[in-house]
Amino acid sequence: MAYQALYRKYRPASFDDVVGQKHIVQTLKNAISKNRIAHAYLFCGPRGTGKTSIAKIFARTLNCTGENPPCMECENCRLSLSGTHPDIIEIDAASNNGVDEVRSLIDRVGYAPLEGKYKVYIIDEVHMMTSGAFNALLKTIEEPPAHVIFIFATTEPHKVLPTILSRCQRYDFSKVSHRDIQERLSYVCQQESVNADEEALSLVAELADGGMRDALSILDQCIAYEQDHLTIDDVREIYGVVQPEEIGNLVENLTPEKANDAIESLKVIENKGMDMKRFTADLISLYKDSLLQEMAAQTNLISEKRKQVIEKSFLPQPVDKRIQILNDLMNLYNKLAYSSNVMDYIETILLKNALWKPQTLVQTAPYPASKPMNLPRYEKQPPVQNPSEQKSDGKIQSNPQTINIVKNEKKPDLAKQFWNMNVSRETSEKAENHQSEFRFSEDFLLSLLVGATKAEKTSDLDHMKNGGKYLTDLEFAKFAKSMSGARIAASGSNYILLGVQSVLVKDNINGLEQSLGYESFTNQLLGKPKKVFAITMDEVANLFSAYKKRSAAQTLPSAAMIEVLLPSTTEEIPVEEQLKKRFENLTIQDD
Ligand SMILES: [Zn+2]
């Protein structure tokens, strides 16, 4: 017997054999059982996802005369299984796109079916039809004889005339999931007595990119190459596929410091004889999957192994950077067919993106992960005049009592520098766009998380419940009010990071902290003086996901060291005086 390609041999014969497309299969089954058959269907979706297979099964089921259709035994089923049923007519519009072909089709439409109950026209790649042919068909679709059913299949529904679209029941086929394809491949290998590693089948499923037919064709080719035992390396060799781990290592080096390493690993890949167009496609696919994984970590469209690579090498990069690279690579991919110097192009794109910087230059990350950095901008600024120097009337002589929690004196007081460096009071002309006045660098916020403990948070949560009783307190009302409704994102021994609902509340709290300080209030409320920082709930969510990634990449900053100044608690000094004193130690940048 002549060799039959796997995709033909394992083409589903009944609805139960179909891999994926569960919602479509169920709807069509219901339509048949309730005898609610439409006269025109449009099956849209990527190639190899089962559009024509399901169309044939639908036609077979409609014409079956046995019990539990399709019974596979009656005359209609046998004819349709062998592809010779006179009433199931397949037309490939890509080759039969002329008006004449459609005319002859229309001429035959009027005749009653020869064997079955329905005459089913399956028109594949219907978007390829000329508009003349479309128009000729239109009248027939408008008023078809009762025994005629049209099933149109297309990969490009946007090219189908709207007048046709509006007369069809439309079904959108989705890519078959990686897991479903792999399971099917496994089954086929069992049936064919082929010994194949699951890893190898997983890669085949990946290469097929959601198309069941492609998956079987690839498997066919791999089996022809290696008949005894198919391994992942066989598949890679046949298809010139670079391992995702290798691509991951390259991607990790896309920084100015490591760009040389990135280019070197690219050369290694090229020297192995890998197809660079395929490599570009793989790179695009990994970047694309990294965006999907970012949004839907539980997706089963990405294999577990691939997820691990993405988690390690791709997710630590900012989303903006990944989108930029993805755009560049996709532009490149379209040009690759016409270019001879592929390597130059790829190198250029990698180097360009190694130099990537965030577009909005907000004061980001002035603090490196380990050592404190010199902060030239801070030093260059003219010294802020000390309020106590301005009023040299001698009323304030002593410095306020300071609780210095900084253990290592050499390290800078992050909080103080933080106010100077990272809080940019926007100038009035910018104020109309409703952005927050306070922008914290990611590293600063992360350092707050790093220094936070669960015990502190539990204790703070407990104390926060009493916040309500300060709402009518003369001294503390504004502090208590500002914090009501806020949620604790993290608590350190001398600071607290709050998540709040709006930018307004955020600015209110940070403004209060900057001008007056929360120490006295937190001393009352929480039992010890703490600084208070606020960000919006959205920023909290982003911060936590940044924490996860940076933690995985081991690039978290060291714990924040916040200095807390507690004004003297002796009752002789009035509140106003205490506040004035606080200004001595808190420099505020107003320009
Ligand atoms: Zn039958």
Side-chain angles (χ1 to χ4, degrees):
M1 196 181 128
Y3 178 74
Q4 199 181 9
L6 288 181
Y7 83 86
R8 282 179 173 279
K9 194 167 170 187
Y10 290 93
R11 178 168 256 184
S14 72
F15 283 127
D16 297 334
D17 297 340
V18 175
V19 177
Q21 320 303 356
K22 298 265 180 297
H23 57 297
I24 292 173
V25 166
Q26 196 51 51
T27 316
L28 292 176
K29 274 166 120 177
N30 290 348
I32 294 170
S33 67
K34 290 184 181 142
N35 200 23
R36 295 175 67 97
I37 317 291
H39 283 287
Y41 293 87
L42 180 69
F43 290 178
C44 326
R47 52 187 250 115
T49 48
K51 298 185 294 295
T52 38
S53 295
I54 288 181
K56 283 179 189 171
I57 294 169
F58 188 53
R60 181 174 307 142
T61 312
L62 284 172
N63 277 330
C64 173
T65 49
E67 277 175 33
N68 299 323
C71 68
M72 311 292 179
E73 281 159 9
C74 71
E75 183 63 13
N76 279 297
C77 280
R78 284 198 302 105
L79 284 170
S80 114
L81 280 168
S82 64
T84 53
H85 198 295
D87 301 320
I88 301 176
I89 303 128
E90 274 184 77
I91 295 166
D92 181 9
S95 50
N96 296 287
N97 56 5
V99 186
D100 289 344
E101 277 87 350
V102 176
R103 289 250 164 79
S104 87
L105 179 159
I106 292 165
D107 287 345
R108 283 176 278 135
V109 155
Y111 301 122
L114 297 170
E115 289 281 342
K117 198 170 157 194
Y118 291 98
K119 236 179 156 133
V120 185
Y121 289 92
I122 301 171
I123 304 182
D124 204 4
E125 304 292 350
V126 68
H127 63 274
M128 302 282 281
M129 267 192 182
T130 59
S131 57
F134 260 135
N135 286 327
L137 195 60
L138 202 55
K139 284 202 185 88
T140 315
I141 301 179
E142 261 172 357
E143 288 170 28
H147 60 266
V148 170
I149 293 167
F150 285 100
I151 304 176
F152 303 111
T154 180
T155 47
E156 296 176 68
H158 55 279
K159 289 187 184 164
V160 180
L161 286 186
T163 40
I164 301 258
L165 281 177
S166 64
R167 285 168 175 83
C168 295
Q169 250 186 37
R170 174 171 169 163
Y171 291 83
D172 284 286
F173 286 60
S174 48
K175 283 187 178 179
V176 184
S177 79
H178 185 278
R179 194 192 300 155
D180 284 347
I181 293 184
Q182 194 178 335
E183 272 174 19
R184 182 73 177 170
L185 292 175
S186 216
Y187 167 80
V188 169
C189 284
Q190 265 176 25
Q191 297 296 307
E192 295 288 311
S193 314
V194 169
N195 191 359
D197 289 352
E198 280 302 312
E199 254 190 332
L201 297 183
S202 171
L203 179 57
V204 172
E206 216 167 282
L207 290 169
D209 189 29
M212 194 64 234
R213 187 176 62 216
D214 284 357
L216 288 171
S217 297
I218 294 170
L219 183 64
D220 228 349
Q221 233 174 312
C222 292
I223 294 173
Y225 172 88
E226 171 56 60
Q227 301 193 323
D228 297 333
H229 185 175
L230 187 67
T231 67
I232 189 162
D233 290 328
D234 295 329
V235 183
R236 283 203 183 110
E237 208 168 320
I238 299 164
Y239 276 86
V241 181
V242 186
Q243 310 208 25
E245 293 86 347
E246 240 176 298
I247 299 182
N249 291 339
L250 188 155
V251 162
E252 279 177 37
N253 288 335
L254 288 183
T255 61
E257 300 79 28
K258 295 183 187 164
N260 189 51
D261 296 349
I263 298 301
E264 271 177 13
S265 31
L266 182 68
K267 300 253 191 240
V268 171
I269 288 169
E270 193 207 13
N271 289 339
K272 280 188 195 164
M274 296 300 180
D275 173 9
M276 293 320 279
K277 191 170 181 193
R278 169 90 239 172
F279 168 78
T280 311
D282 288 347
L283 201 50
I284 290 173
S285 157
L286 273 164
Y287 270 111
K288 182 206 74 188
D289 282 353
S290 84
L291 297 180
L292 176 61
Q293 193 167 329
E294 177 104 31
M295 289 177 273
Q298 302 304 320
T299 177
N300 59 4
L301 292 170
I302 308 174
S303 69
E304 278 311 313
K305 216 178 151 208
R306 208 171 155 85
K307 277 187 184 174
Q308 285 169 13
V309 173
I310 291 173
E311 177 90 38
K312 176 173 176 281
S313 309
F314 287 77
L315 294 192
Q317 295 180 33
V319 173
D320 287 352
K321 180 176 180 178
R322 280 181 273 147
I323 291 173
Q324 174 66 50
I325 299 182
L326 197 50
N327 279 335
D328 290 347
L329 288 171
M330 287 197 295
N331 284 335
L332 169 70
Y333 190 78
N334 294 329
K335 291 179 195 152
L336 283 184
Y338 316 102
S339 51
S340 51
N341 46 351
V342 177
M343 272 298 274
D344 283 347
Y345 284 131
I346 300 179
E347 278 177 28
T348 311
I349 284 180
L350 294 184
L351 288 173
K352 175 189 159 193
N353 283 288
L355 292 167
W356 181 90
K357 282 200 186 95
Q359 292 256 310
T360 46
L361 249 171
V362 181
Q363 301 273 2
T364 48
Y367 310 111
S370 51
K371 58 176 178 20
M373 201 194 259
N374 275 335
L375 300 164
R377 263 200 59 192
Y378 175 54
E379 285 159 6
K380 271 181 207 157
Q381 269 153 19
V384 177
Q385 261 217 321
N386 202 319
S388 66
E389 284 168 13
Q390 288 169 325
K391 298 180 193 175
S392 54
D393 53 10
K395 270 182 187 168
I396 303 165
Q397 281 130 10
S398 58
N399 281 332
Q401 184 186 338
T402 299
I403 299 177
N404 193 345
I405 306 190
V406 180
K407 292 279 191 286
N408 182 348
E409 294 293 331
K410 281 175 191 163
K411 296 219 174 173
D413 172 12
L414 276 175
K416 213 188 272 178
Q417 290 174 3
F418 157 77
W419 288 122
N420 283 295
M421 289 294 298
N422 298 357
V423 178
S424 54
R425 281 253 175 210
E426 295 198 5
T427 47
S428 52
E429 62 259 32
K430 282 186 194 160
E432 61 254 28
N433 55 28
H434 300 276
Q435 288 180 344
S436 171
E437 295 179 338
F438 296 89
R439 293 169 179 178
F440 303 159
S441 77
E442 184 178 271
D443 273 34
F444 175 76
L445 293 174
L446 286 173
S447 74
L448 294 181
L449 290 197
V450 172
T453 65
K454 199 165 181 185
E456 281 290 339
K457 187 173 174 180
T458 313
S459 155
D460 286 350
L461 275 173
D462 223 333
H463 286 106
M464 286 269 276
K465 288 177 194 151
N466 303 323
K469 70 181 180 193
Y470 293 100
L471 286 171
T472 49
D473 186 294
L474 268 182
E475 190 182 345
F476 294 128
K478 74 167 92 173
F479 296 100
K481 217 179 258 175
S482 73
M483 283 168 63
S484 68
R487 296 169 71 172
I488 301 180
S491 291
S493 60
N494 52 359
Y495 61 86
I496 185 165
L497 176 64
L498 298 177
V500 297
Q501 289 305 332
S502 71
V503 172
L504 275 177
V505 180
K506 169 188 164 178
D507 284 1
N508 181 27
I509 292 178
N510 294 322
L512 272 172
E513 175 61 65
Q514 191 181 29
S515 56
L516 302 173
Y518 274 85
E519 292 90 337
S520 299
F521 176 57
T522 44
N523 197 26
Q524 288 284 323
L525 176 69
L526 308 173
K528 53 171 147 174
K530 288 194 173 195
K531 277 190 172 295
V532 178
F533 307 101
I535 53 179
T536 63
M537 290 313 291
D538 285 350
E539 288 169 326
V540 170
N542 290 339
L543 179 64
F544 277 46
S545 86
Y547 182 90
K548 223 172 112 188
K549 280 172 218 162
R550 296 273 299 265
S551 171
Q554 302 192 324
T555 58
L556 280 175
S558 44
M561 267 166 298
I562 307 294
E563 192 182 53
V564 173
L565 310 163
L566 184 67
S568 166
T569 46
T570 49
E571 286 175 8
E572 282 99 73
I573 303 177
V575 179
E576 298 92 291
E577 295 288 351
Q578 293 181 26
L579 295 178
K580 277 182 193 165
K581 283 178 182 179
R582 215 177 260 115
F583 280 95
E584 289 179 355
N585 288 336
L586 240 176
T587 33
I588 295 160
Q589 184 188 340
D590 263 326
D591 51 356

